[in-house]
PDB file of all heavy atoms in Angstrom:
ATOM      1  N   HIS W  32      10.007  20.485   0.762  1.00 96.00           N
ATOM      2  CA  HIS W  32       9.549  19.433   1.668  1.00 96.00           C
ATOM      3  C   HIS W  32       9.129  18.210   0.881  1.00 96.00           C
ATOM      4  O   HIS W  32       8.978  18.259  -0.335  1.00 96.00           O
ATOM      5  CB  HIS W  32       8.402  19.956   2.538  1.00 96.00           C
ATOM      6  CG  HIS W  32       8.827  21.078   3.426  1.00 96.00           C
ATOM      7  ND1 HIS W  32       9.690  20.908   4.479  1.00 96.00           N
ATOM      8  CD2 HIS W  32       8.534  22.393   3.393  1.00 96.00           C
ATOM      9  CE1 HIS W  32       9.901  22.073   5.068  1.00 96.00           C
ATOM     10  NE2 HIS W  32       9.213  22.988   4.424  1.00 96.00           N
ATOM     11  N   ARG W  33       8.935  17.139   1.591  1.00 95.00           N
ATOM     12  CA  ARG W  33       8.632  15.883   0.906  1.00 95.00           C
ATOM     13  C   ARG W  33       7.232  15.400   1.221  1.00 95.00           C
ATOM     14  O   ARG W  33       6.747  15.555   2.337  1.00 95.00           O
ATOM     15  CB  ARG W  33       9.668  14.828   1.316  1.00 95.00           C
ATOM     16  CG  ARG W  33      11.010  15.177   0.757  1.00 95.00           C
ATOM     17  CD  ARG W  33      12.113  14.378   1.363  1.00 95.00           C
ATOM     18  NE  ARG W  33      13.394  14.892   0.888  1.00 95.00           N
ATOM     19  CZ  ARG W  33      14.567  14.367   1.195  1.00 95.00           C
ATOM     20  NH1 ARG W  33      14.636  13.307   1.957  1.00 95.00           N
ATOM     21  NH2 ARG W  33      15.660  14.904   0.732  1.00 95.00           N
ATOM     22  N   THR W  35       5.256  12.698   2.208  1.00 96.00           N
ATOM     23  CA  THR W  35       5.392  11.376   2.793  1.00 96.00           C
ATOM     24  C   THR W  35       4.024  10.808   3.119  1.00 96.00           C
ATOM     25  O   THR W  35       3.021  11.529   3.138  1.00 96.00           O
ATOM     26  CB  THR W  35       6.216  11.445   4.082  1.00 96.00           C
ATOM     27  OG1 THR W  35       5.503  12.241   5.029  1.00 96.00           O
ATOM     28  CG2 THR W  35       7.567  12.062   3.819  1.00 96.00           C
ATOM     29  N   ARG W  38       2.456  12.358   6.346  1.00 97.00           N
ATOM     30  CA  ARG W  38       2.059  13.724   6.045  1.00 97.00           C
ATOM     31  C   ARG W  38       0.741  13.726   5.276  1.00 97.00           C
ATOM     32  O   ARG W  38      -0.172  14.517   5.580  1.00 97.00           O
ATOM     33  CB  ARG W  38       3.141  14.367   5.181  1.00 97.00           C
ATOM     34  CG  ARG W  38       3.375  15.800   5.465  1.00 97.00           C
ATOM     35  CD  ARG W  38       4.669  16.081   6.174  1.00 97.00           C
ATOM     36  NE  ARG W  38       5.739  16.464   5.263  1.00 97.00           N
ATOM     37  CZ  ARG W  38       6.918  16.934   5.672  1.00 97.00           C
ATOM     38  NH1 ARG W  38       7.169  17.092   6.953  1.00 97.00           N
ATOM     39  NH2 ARG W  38       7.844  17.229   4.812  1.00 97.00           N
ATOM     40  N   GLN W  68      -0.299   1.368  10.024  1.00 86.00           N
ATOM     41  CA  GLN W  68       0.638   2.353  10.537  1.00 86.00           C
ATOM     42  C   GLN W  68      -0.065   3.695  10.663  1.00 86.00           C
ATOM     43  O   GLN W  68      -0.801   4.103   9.760  1.00 86.00           O
ATOM     44  CB  GLN W  68       1.811   2.462   9.570  1.00 86.00           C
ATOM     45  CG  GLN W  68       3.117   2.865  10.245  1.00 86.00           C
ATOM     46  CD  GLN W  68       4.129   3.300   9.215  1.00 86.00           C
ATOM     47  OE1 GLN W  68       4.089   2.848   8.071  1.00 86.00           O
ATOM     48  NE2 GLN W  68       5.018   4.188   9.611  1.00 86.00           N
ATOM     49  N   THR W  69       0.145   4.370  11.753  1.00 93.00           N
ATOM     50  CA  THR W  69      -0.445   5.700  11.932  1.00 93.00           C
ATOM     51  C   THR W  69       0.644   6.688  12.312  1.00 93.00           C
ATOM     52  O   THR W  69       1.598   6.332  12.978  1.00 93.00           O
ATOM     53  CB  THR W  69      -1.515   5.682  13.040  1.00 93.00           C
ATOM     54  OG1 THR W  69      -0.912   5.200  14.237  1.00 93.00           O
ATOM     55  CG2 THR W  69      -2.682   4.807  12.669  1.00 93.00           C
ATOM     56  N   PRO W  70       0.487   7.924  11.869  1.00 96.00           N
ATOM     57  CA  PRO W  70       1.488   8.945  12.167  1.00 96.00           C
ATOM     58  C   PRO W  70       1.646   9.120  13.669  1.00 96.00           C
ATOM     59  O   PRO W  70       0.664   9.076  14.411  1.00 96.00           O
ATOM     60  CB  PRO W  70       0.899  10.210  11.532  1.00 96.00           C
ATOM     61  CG  PRO W  70      -0.060   9.720  10.506  1.00 96.00           C
ATOM     62  CD  PRO W  70      -0.604   8.444  11.037  1.00 96.00           C
ATOM     63  N   GLY W  71       2.862   9.338  14.101  1.00 96.00           N
ATOM     64  CA  GLY W  71       3.143   9.553  15.513  1.00 96.00           C
ATOM     65  C   GLY W  71       2.738  10.945  15.948  1.00 96.00           C
ATOM     66  O   GLY W  71       2.497  11.830  15.122  1.00 96.00           O
ATOM     67  N   ALA W  73       4.475  13.259  17.305  1.00 98.00           N
ATOM     68  CA  ALA W  73       5.447  14.283  16.907  1.00 98.00           C
ATOM     69  C   ALA W  73       5.177  14.735  15.477  1.00 98.00           C
ATOM     70  O   ALA W  73       5.230  15.925  15.173  1.00 98.00           O
ATOM     71  CB  ALA W  73       6.860  13.748  17.039  1.00 98.00           C
ATOM     72  N   THR W  74       4.909  13.792  14.613  1.00 98.00           N
ATOM     73  CA  THR W  74       4.652  14.129  13.216  1.00 98.00           C
ATOM     74  C   THR W  74       3.412  15.012  13.083  1.00 98.00           C
ATOM     75  O   THR W  74       3.394  15.967  12.305  1.00 98.00           O
ATOM     76  CB  THR W  74       4.471  12.845  12.385  1.00 98.00           C
ATOM     77  OG1 THR W  74       5.672  12.094  12.473  1.00 98.00           O
ATOM     78  CG2 THR W  74       4.173  13.164  10.946  1.00 98.00           C
ATOM     79  N   ARG W  77       4.388  18.445  14.265  1.00 98.00           N
ATOM     80  CA  ARG W  77       5.331  19.082  13.346  1.00 98.00           C
ATOM     81  C   ARG W  77       4.646  19.484  12.052  1.00 98.00           C
ATOM     82  O   ARG W  77       4.888  20.571  11.506  1.00 98.00           O
ATOM     83  CB  ARG W  77       6.511  18.136  13.078  1.00 98.00           C
ATOM     84  CG  ARG W  77       7.465  18.057  14.259  1.00 98.00           C
ATOM     85  CD  ARG W  77       8.760  17.339  13.935  1.00 98.00           C
ATOM     86  NE  ARG W  77       8.657  15.897  14.048  1.00 98.00           N
ATOM     87  CZ  ARG W  77       9.469  15.147  14.794  1.00 98.00           C
ATOM     88  NH1 ARG W  77      10.458  15.692  15.478  1.00 98.00           N
ATOM     89  NH2 ARG W  77       9.337  13.844  14.854  1.00 98.00           N
TER      90      ARG W  77
ATOM     91  P    DG Z   1      25.936   6.316  -3.209  1.00 92.80           P
ATOM     92  OP1  DG Z   1      26.984   6.195  -4.227  1.00 92.80           O
ATOM     93  OP2  DG Z   1      25.339   5.234  -2.449  1.00 92.80           O
ATOM     94  O5'  DG Z   1      26.363   7.529  -2.248  1.00 92.80           O
ATOM     95  C5'  DG Z   1      26.590   8.806  -2.911  1.00 92.80           C
ATOM     96  C4'  DG Z   1      25.808   9.861  -2.179  1.00 92.80           C
ATOM     97  O4'  DG Z   1      24.381   9.667  -2.394  1.00 92.80           O
ATOM     98  C3'  DG Z   1      25.998   9.801  -0.670  1.00 92.80           C
ATOM     99  O3'  DG Z   1      25.720  11.103  -0.153  1.00 92.80           O
ATOM    100  C2'  DG Z   1      24.862   8.895  -0.237  1.00 92.80           C
ATOM    101  C1'  DG Z   1      23.762   9.455  -1.136  1.00 92.80           C
ATOM    102  N9   DG Z   1      22.617   8.578  -1.339  1.00 92.80           N
ATOM    103  C8   DG Z   1      22.545   7.233  -1.125  1.00 92.80           C
ATOM    104  N7   DG Z   1      21.380   6.742  -1.410  1.00 92.80           N
ATOM    105  C5   DG Z   1      20.630   7.838  -1.818  1.00 92.80           C
ATOM    106  C6   DG Z   1      19.297   7.932  -2.244  1.00 92.80           C
ATOM    107  O6   DG Z   1      18.475   7.018  -2.363  1.00 92.80           O
ATOM    108  N1   DG Z   1      18.959   9.242  -2.567  1.00 92.80           N
ATOM    109  C2   DG Z   1      19.796  10.311  -2.490  1.00 92.80           C
ATOM    110  N2   DG Z   1      19.302  11.474  -2.835  1.00 92.80           N
ATOM    111  N3   DG Z   1      21.047  10.227  -2.092  1.00 92.80           N
ATOM    112  C4   DG Z   1      21.389   8.968  -1.771  1.00 92.80           C
ATOM    113  P    DT Z   2      27.053  11.932   0.249  1.00 92.80           P
ATOM    114  OP1  DT Z   2      28.004  12.196  -0.834  1.00 92.80           O
ATOM    115  OP2  DT Z   2      27.535  11.314   1.504  1.00 92.80           O
ATOM    116  O5'  DT Z   2      26.289  13.300   0.559  1.00 92.80           O
ATOM    117  C5'  DT Z   2      25.516  13.893  -0.499  1.00 92.80           C
ATOM    118  C4'  DT Z   2      24.110  14.248  -0.036  1.00 92.80           C
ATOM    119  O4'  DT Z   2      23.200  13.123  -0.113  1.00 92.80           O
ATOM    120  C3'  DT Z   2      24.024  14.767   1.408  1.00 92.80           C
ATOM    121  O3'  DT Z   2      23.217  15.935   1.369  1.00 92.80           O
ATOM    122  C2'  DT Z   2      23.312  13.650   2.141  1.00 92.80           C
ATOM    123  C1'  DT Z   2      22.370  13.174   1.028  1.00 92.80           C
ATOM    124  N1   DT Z   2      21.728  11.845   1.206  1.00 92.80           N
ATOM    125  C2   DT Z   2      20.430  11.693   0.769  1.00 92.80           C
ATOM    126  O2   DT Z   2      19.795  12.593   0.247  1.00 92.80           O
ATOM    127  N3   DT Z   2      19.912  10.447   0.951  1.00 92.80           N
ATOM    128  C4   DT Z   2      20.533   9.353   1.519  1.00 92.80           C
ATOM    129  O4   DT Z   2      19.956   8.281   1.622  1.00 92.80           O
ATOM    130  C5   DT Z   2      21.883   9.585   1.966  1.00 92.80           C
ATOM    131  C7   DT Z   2      22.657   8.480   2.608  1.00 92.80           C
ATOM    132  C6   DT Z   2      22.419  10.806   1.792  1.00 92.80           C
ATOM    133  P    DT Z   3      23.501  17.132   2.381  1.00 92.80           P
ATOM    134  OP1  DT Z   3      24.446  18.058   1.765  1.00 92.80           O
ATOM    135  OP2  DT Z   3      23.774  16.537   3.724  1.00 92.80           O
ATOM    136  O5'  DT Z   3      22.071  17.829   2.447  1.00 92.80           O
ATOM    137  C5'  DT Z   3      21.210  17.818   1.305  1.00 92.80           C
ATOM    138  C4'  DT Z   3      19.843  17.351   1.715  1.00 92.80           C
ATOM    139  O4'  DT Z   3      19.815  15.926   1.950  1.00 92.80           O
ATOM    140  C3'  DT Z   3      19.300  17.989   2.995  1.00 92.80           C
ATOM    141  O3'  DT Z   3      18.139  18.719   2.637  1.00 92.80           O
ATOM    142  C2'  DT Z   3      18.998  16.817   3.922  1.00 92.80           C
ATOM    143  C1'  DT Z   3      18.834  15.673   2.930  1.00 92.80           C
ATOM    144  N1   DT Z   3      19.035  14.290   3.443  1.00 92.80           N
ATOM    145  C2   DT Z   3      18.072  13.343   3.182  1.00 92.80           C
ATOM    146  O2   DT Z   3      17.053  13.579   2.552  1.00 92.80           O
ATOM    147  N3   DT Z   3      18.345  12.086   3.673  1.00 92.80           N
ATOM    148  C4   DT Z   3      19.458  11.696   4.383  1.00 92.80           C
ATOM    149  O4   DT Z   3      19.583  10.547   4.775  1.00 92.80           O
ATOM    150  C5   DT Z   3      20.425  12.738   4.626  1.00 92.80           C
ATOM    151  C7   DT Z   3      21.657  12.426   5.407  1.00 92.80           C
ATOM    152  C6   DT Z   3      20.176  13.977   4.154  1.00 92.80           C
ATOM    153  P    DT Z   4      17.383  19.621   3.644  1.00 92.80           P
ATOM    154  OP1  DT Z   4      16.882  20.788   2.906  1.00 92.80           O
ATOM    155  OP2  DT Z   4      18.174  19.764   4.874  1.00 92.80           O
ATOM    156  O5'  DT Z   4      16.135  18.688   3.966  1.00 92.80           O
ATOM    157  C5'  DT Z   4      15.381  18.150   2.872  1.00 92.80           C
ATOM    158  C4'  DT Z   4      14.403  17.153   3.425  1.00 92.80           C
ATOM    159  O4'  DT Z   4      15.093  15.942   3.819  1.00 92.80           O
ATOM    160  C3'  DT Z   4      13.682  17.649   4.683  1.00 92.80           C
ATOM    161  O3'  DT Z   4      12.292  17.503   4.481  1.00 92.80           O
ATOM    162  C2'  DT Z   4      14.214  16.772   5.800  1.00 92.80           C
ATOM    163  C1'  DT Z   4      14.573  15.500   5.043  1.00 92.80           C
ATOM    164  N1   DT Z   4      15.603  14.654   5.700  1.00 92.80           N
ATOM    165  C2   DT Z   4      15.383  13.298   5.783  1.00 92.80           C
ATOM    166  O2   DT Z   4      14.387  12.750   5.340  1.00 92.80           O
ATOM    167  N3   DT Z   4      16.389  12.590   6.394  1.00 92.80           N
ATOM    168  C4   DT Z   4      17.561  13.102   6.926  1.00 92.80           C
ATOM    169  O4   DT Z   4      18.394  12.369   7.452  1.00 92.80           O
ATOM    170  C5   DT Z   4      17.717  14.538   6.808  1.00 92.80           C
ATOM    171  C7   DT Z   4      18.950  15.202   7.350  1.00 92.80           C
ATOM    172  C6   DT Z   4      16.743  15.230   6.205  1.00 92.80           C
ATOM    173  P    DG Z   5      11.320  17.662   5.685  1.00 92.80           P
ATOM    174  OP1  DG Z   5      10.065  18.180   5.130  1.00 92.80           O
ATOM    175  OP2  DG Z   5      12.009  18.363   6.783  1.00 92.80           O
ATOM    176  O5'  DG Z   5      11.071  16.168   6.115  1.00 92.80           O
ATOM    177  C5'  DG Z   5      10.437  15.287   5.177  1.00 92.80           C
ATOM    178  C4'  DG Z   5      10.105  14.001   5.878  1.00 92.80           C
ATOM    179  O4'  DG Z   5      11.319  13.422   6.386  1.00 92.80           O
ATOM    180  C3'  DG Z   5       9.180  14.158   7.087  1.00 92.80           C
ATOM    181  O3'  DG Z   5       8.203  13.139   7.015  1.00 92.80           O
ATOM    182  C2'  DG Z   5      10.107  14.011   8.281  1.00 92.80           C
ATOM    183  C1'  DG Z   5      11.152  13.062   7.746  1.00 92.80           C
ATOM    184  N9   DG Z   5      12.470  13.147   8.362  1.00 92.80           N
ATOM    185  C8   DG Z   5      13.278  14.253   8.458  1.00 92.80           C
ATOM    186  N7   DG Z   5      14.424  14.005   9.053  1.00 92.80           N
ATOM    187  C5   DG Z   5      14.363  12.657   9.368  1.00 92.80           C
ATOM    188  C6   DG Z   5      15.308  11.825  10.016  1.00 92.80           C
ATOM    189  O6   DG Z   5      16.413  12.117  10.460  1.00 92.80           O
ATOM    190  N1   DG Z   5      14.841  10.510  10.130  1.00 92.80           N
ATOM    191  C2   DG Z   5      13.619  10.072   9.668  1.00 92.80           C
ATOM    192  N2   DG Z   5      13.333   8.784   9.866  1.00 92.80           N
ATOM    193  N3   DG Z   5      12.728  10.838   9.056  1.00 92.80           N
ATOM    194  C4   DG Z   5      13.167  12.122   8.942  1.00 92.80           C
ATOM    195  P    DT Z   6       7.185  12.965   8.147  1.00 92.80           P
ATOM    196  OP1  DT Z   6       5.949  12.473   7.518  1.00 92.80           O
ATOM    197  OP2  DT Z   6       7.182  14.185   8.966  1.00 92.80           O
ATOM    198  O5'  DT Z   6       7.816  11.796   8.989  1.00 92.80           O
ATOM    199  C5'  DT Z   6       7.866  10.487   8.416  1.00 92.80           C
ATOM    200  C4'  DT Z   6       8.200   9.493   9.506  1.00 92.80           C
ATOM    201  O4'  DT Z   6       9.537   9.760   9.969  1.00 92.80           O
ATOM    202  C3'  DT Z   6       7.291   9.600  10.726  1.00 92.80           C
ATOM    203  O3'  DT Z   6       6.637   8.352  10.893  1.00 92.80           O
ATOM    204  C2'  DT Z   6       8.217   9.950  11.891  1.00 92.80           C
ATOM    205  C1'  DT Z   6       9.599   9.607  11.366  1.00 92.80           C
ATOM    206  N1   DT Z   6      10.701  10.490  11.821  1.00 92.80           N
ATOM    207  C2   DT Z   6      11.765   9.944  12.472  1.00 92.80           C
ATOM    208  O2   DT Z   6      11.859   8.756  12.717  1.00 92.80           O
ATOM    209  N3   DT Z   6      12.744  10.840  12.849  1.00 92.80           N
ATOM    210  C4   DT Z   6      12.746  12.203  12.624  1.00 92.80           C
ATOM    211  O4   DT Z   6      13.682  12.917  13.003  1.00 92.80           O
ATOM    212  C5   DT Z   6      11.593  12.720  11.933  1.00 92.80           C
ATOM    213  C7   DT Z   6      11.504  14.185  11.632  1.00 92.80           C
ATOM    214  C6   DT Z   6      10.632  11.851  11.564  1.00 92.80           C
ATOM    215  P    DG Z   7       5.372   8.232  11.779  1.00 92.80           P
ATOM    216  OP1  DG Z   7       4.440   7.278  11.147  1.00 92.80           O
ATOM    217  OP2  DG Z   7       4.922   9.590  12.133  1.00 92.80           O
ATOM    218  O5'  DG Z   7       5.987   7.546  13.069  1.00 92.80           O
ATOM    219  C5'  DG Z   7       6.677   6.321  12.914  1.00 92.80           C
ATOM    220  C4'  DG Z   7       7.384   5.991  14.210  1.00 92.80           C
ATOM    221  O4'  DG Z   7       8.487   6.904  14.375  1.00 92.80           O
ATOM    222  C3'  DG Z   7       6.495   6.137  15.442  1.00 92.80           C
ATOM    223  O3'  DG Z   7       6.532   4.904  16.146  1.00 92.80           O
ATOM    224  C2'  DG Z   7       7.118   7.287  16.235  1.00 92.80           C
ATOM    225  C1'  DG Z   7       8.542   7.338  15.726  1.00 92.80           C
ATOM    226  N9   DG Z   7       9.144   8.666  15.676  1.00 92.80           N
ATOM    227  C8   DG Z   7       8.545   9.824  15.239  1.00 92.80           C
ATOM    228  N7   DG Z   7       9.338  10.862  15.279  1.00 92.80           N
ATOM    229  C5   DG Z   7      10.532  10.373  15.785  1.00 92.80           C
ATOM    230  C6   DG Z   7      11.755  11.034  16.054  1.00 92.80           C
ATOM    231  O6   DG Z   7      12.033  12.224  15.899  1.00 92.80           O
ATOM    232  N1   DG Z   7      12.715  10.155  16.551  1.00 92.80           N
ATOM    233  C2   DG Z   7      12.524   8.808  16.754  1.00 92.80           C
ATOM    234  N2   DG Z   7      13.556   8.137  17.232  1.00 92.80           N
ATOM    235  N3   DG Z   7      11.375   8.178  16.510  1.00 92.80           N
ATOM    236  C4   DG Z   7      10.430   9.017  16.026  1.00 92.80           C
ATOM    237  P    DC Z   8       5.448   4.541  17.196  1.00 92.80           P
ATOM    238  OP1  DC Z   8       5.104   3.124  16.957  1.00 92.80           O
ATOM    239  OP2  DC Z   8       4.405   5.579  17.216  1.00 92.80           O
ATOM    240  O5'  DC Z   8       6.249   4.620  18.581  1.00 92.80           O
ATOM    241  C5'  DC Z   8       7.469   3.884  18.709  1.00 92.80           C
ATOM    242  C4'  DC Z   8       8.386   4.568  19.696  1.00 92.80           C
ATOM    243  O4'  DC Z   8       8.847   5.820  19.168  1.00 92.80           O
ATOM    244  C3'  DC Z   8       7.699   4.949  21.011  1.00 92.80           C
ATOM    245  O3'  DC Z   8       8.058   3.985  21.998  1.00 92.80           O
ATOM    246  C2'  DC Z   8       8.256   6.338  21.357  1.00 92.80           C
ATOM    247  C1'  DC Z   8       9.263   6.612  20.249  1.00 92.80           C
ATOM    248  N1   DC Z   8       9.275   8.026  19.804  1.00 92.80           N
ATOM    249  C2   DC Z   8      10.465   8.756  19.878  1.00 92.80           C
ATOM    250  O2   DC Z   8      11.477   8.213  20.327  1.00 92.80           O
ATOM    251  N3   DC Z   8      10.483  10.043  19.454  1.00 92.80           N
ATOM    252  C4   DC Z   8       9.359  10.598  18.976  1.00 92.80           C
ATOM    253  N4   DC Z   8       9.423  11.862  18.566  1.00 92.80           N
ATOM    254  C5   DC Z   8       8.134   9.872  18.888  1.00 92.80           C
ATOM    255  C6   DC Z   8       8.130   8.592  19.305  1.00 92.80           C
ATOM    256  P    DA Z   9       7.222   3.953  23.385  1.00 92.80           P
ATOM    257  OP1  DA Z   9       6.738   2.586  23.626  1.00 92.80           O
ATOM    258  OP2  DA Z   9       6.281   5.085  23.420  1.00 92.80           O
ATOM    259  O5'  DA Z   9       8.406   4.266  24.392  1.00 92.80           O
ATOM    260  C5'  DA Z   9       9.730   4.495  23.896  1.00 92.80           C
ATOM    261  C4'  DA Z   9      10.356   5.625  24.680  1.00 92.80           C
ATOM    262  O4'  DA Z   9      10.247   6.886  23.957  1.00 92.80           O
ATOM    263  C3'  DA Z   9       9.719   5.867  26.043  1.00 92.80           C
ATOM    264  O3'  DA Z   9      10.758   6.169  26.955  1.00 92.80           O
ATOM    265  C2'  DA Z   9       8.828   7.072  25.795  1.00 92.80           C
ATOM    266  C1'  DA Z   9       9.675   7.859  24.805  1.00 92.80           C
ATOM    267  N9   DA Z   9       8.925   8.806  23.992  1.00 92.80           N
ATOM    268  C8   DA Z   9       7.605   8.756  23.625  1.00 92.80           C
ATOM    269  N7   DA Z   9       7.210   9.762  22.886  1.00 92.80           N
ATOM    270  C5   DA Z   9       8.344  10.549  22.754  1.00 92.80           C
ATOM    271  C6   DA Z   9       8.593  11.759  22.085  1.00 92.80           C
ATOM    272  N6   DA Z   9       7.667  12.411  21.395  1.00 92.80           N
ATOM    273  N1   DA Z   9       9.846  12.262  22.159  1.00 92.80           N
ATOM    274  C2   DA Z   9      10.786  11.597  22.852  1.00 92.80           C
ATOM    275  N3   DA Z   9      10.669  10.439  23.521  1.00 92.80           N
ATOM    276  C4   DA Z   9       9.416   9.964  23.428  1.00 92.80           C
ATOM    277  P    DA Z  10      10.393   6.418  28.498  1.00 92.80           P
ATOM    278  OP1  DA Z  10      10.852   5.219  29.240  1.00 92.80           O
ATOM    279  OP2  DA Z  10       9.001   6.876  28.628  1.00 92.80           O
ATOM    280  O5'  DA Z  10      11.371   7.631  28.833  1.00 92.80           O
ATOM    281  C5'  DA Z  10      12.556   7.800  28.054  1.00 92.80           C
ATOM    282  C4'  DA Z  10      12.970   9.251  28.114  1.00 92.80           C
ATOM    283  O4'  DA Z  10      12.163  10.026  27.182  1.00 92.80           O
ATOM    284  C3'  DA Z  10      12.767   9.892  29.478  1.00 92.80           C
ATOM    285  O3'  DA Z  10      13.856  10.747  29.765  1.00 92.80           O
ATOM    286  C2'  DA Z  10      11.458  10.664  29.315  1.00 92.80           C
ATOM    287  C1'  DA Z  10      11.516  11.083  27.859  1.00 92.80           C
ATOM    288  N9   DA Z  10      10.202  11.292  27.244  1.00 92.80           N
ATOM    289  C8   DA Z  10       9.077  10.533  27.401  1.00 92.80           C
ATOM    290  N7   DA Z  10       8.039  10.968  26.717  1.00 92.80           N
ATOM    291  C5   DA Z  10       8.520  12.091  26.062  1.00 92.80           C
ATOM    292  C6   DA Z  10       7.913  13.002  25.180  1.00 92.80           C
ATOM    293  N6   DA Z  10       6.645  12.912  24.786  1.00 92.80           N
ATOM    294  N1   DA Z  10       8.666  14.007  24.707  1.00 92.80           N
ATOM    295  C2   DA Z  10       9.955  14.094  25.101  1.00 92.80           C
ATOM    296  N3   DA Z  10      10.642  13.295  25.923  1.00 92.80           N
ATOM    297  C4   DA Z  10       9.856  12.299  26.381  1.00 92.80           C
ATOM    298  P    DT Z  15       1.026  30.135  31.415  1.00 92.80           P
ATOM    299  OP1  DT Z  15       0.044  30.792  30.549  1.00 92.80           O
ATOM    300  OP2  DT Z  15       1.921  30.937  32.250  1.00 92.80           O
ATOM    301  O5'  DT Z  15       0.245  29.086  32.303  1.00 92.80           O
ATOM    302  C5'  DT Z  15      -0.568  28.125  31.626  1.00 92.80           C
ATOM    303  C4'  DT Z  15      -1.191  27.175  32.600  1.00 92.80           C
ATOM    304  O4'  DT Z  15      -0.184  26.389  33.262  1.00 92.80           O
ATOM    305  C3'  DT Z  15      -1.997  27.842  33.725  1.00 92.80           C
ATOM    306  O3'  DT Z  15      -3.355  27.464  33.553  1.00 92.80           O
ATOM    307  C2'  DT Z  15      -1.378  27.295  35.006  1.00 92.80           C
ATOM    308  C1'  DT Z  15      -0.670  26.036  34.523  1.00 92.80           C
ATOM    309  N1   DT Z  15       0.476  25.573  35.330  1.00 92.80           N
ATOM    310  C2   DT Z  15       0.423  24.323  35.899  1.00 92.80           C
ATOM    311  O2   DT Z  15      -0.524  23.566  35.775  1.00 92.80           O
ATOM    312  N3   DT Z  15       1.529  23.962  36.627  1.00 92.80           N
ATOM    313  C4   DT Z  15       2.660  24.725  36.842  1.00 92.80           C
ATOM    314  O4   DT Z  15       3.589  24.291  37.512  1.00 92.80           O
ATOM    315  C5   DT Z  15       2.653  26.027  36.226  1.00 92.80           C
ATOM    316  C7   DT Z  15       3.835  26.946  36.399  1.00 92.80           C
ATOM    317  C6   DT Z  15       1.577  26.387  35.503  1.00 92.80           C
ATOM    318  P    DT Z  16      -4.451  27.901  34.615  1.00 92.80           P
ATOM    319  OP1  DT Z  16      -5.706  28.067  33.871  1.00 92.80           O
ATOM    320  OP2  DT Z  16      -3.937  28.962  35.485  1.00 92.80           O
ATOM    321  O5'  DT Z  16      -4.579  26.566  35.478  1.00 92.80           O
ATOM    322  C5'  DT Z  16      -4.746  25.337  34.793  1.00 92.80           C
ATOM    323  C4'  DT Z  16      -4.974  24.219  35.793  1.00 92.80           C
ATOM    324  O4'  DT Z  16      -3.743  23.908  36.467  1.00 92.80           O
ATOM    325  C3'  DT Z  16      -5.991  24.515  36.893  1.00 92.80           C
ATOM    326  O3'  DT Z  16      -6.819  23.365  36.988  1.00 92.80           O
ATOM    327  C2'  DT Z  16      -5.141  24.749  38.137  1.00 92.80           C
ATOM    328  C1'  DT Z  16      -3.959  23.847  37.863  1.00 92.80           C
ATOM    329  N1   DT Z  16      -2.661  24.234  38.475  1.00 92.80           N
ATOM    330  C2   DT Z  16      -1.942  23.296  39.181  1.00 92.80           C
ATOM    331  O2   DT Z  16      -2.327  22.161  39.354  1.00 92.80           O
ATOM    332  N3   DT Z  16      -0.739  23.740  39.671  1.00 92.80           N
ATOM    333  C4   DT Z  16      -0.194  25.004  39.536  1.00 92.80           C
ATOM    334  O4   DT Z  16       0.899  25.270  40.027  1.00 92.80           O
ATOM    335  C5   DT Z  16      -0.992  25.939  38.793  1.00 92.80           C
ATOM    336  C7   DT Z  16      -0.492  27.329  38.586  1.00 92.80           C
ATOM    337  C6   DT Z  16      -2.182  25.521  38.301  1.00 92.80           C
TER     338       DT Z  16
END
Side-chain angles (χ1 to χ4, degrees):
Chain W
H32 297 291
R33 291 167 187 183
T35 64
R38 216 108 96 171
Q68 209 195 332
T69 57
T74 299
R77 286 191 276 234

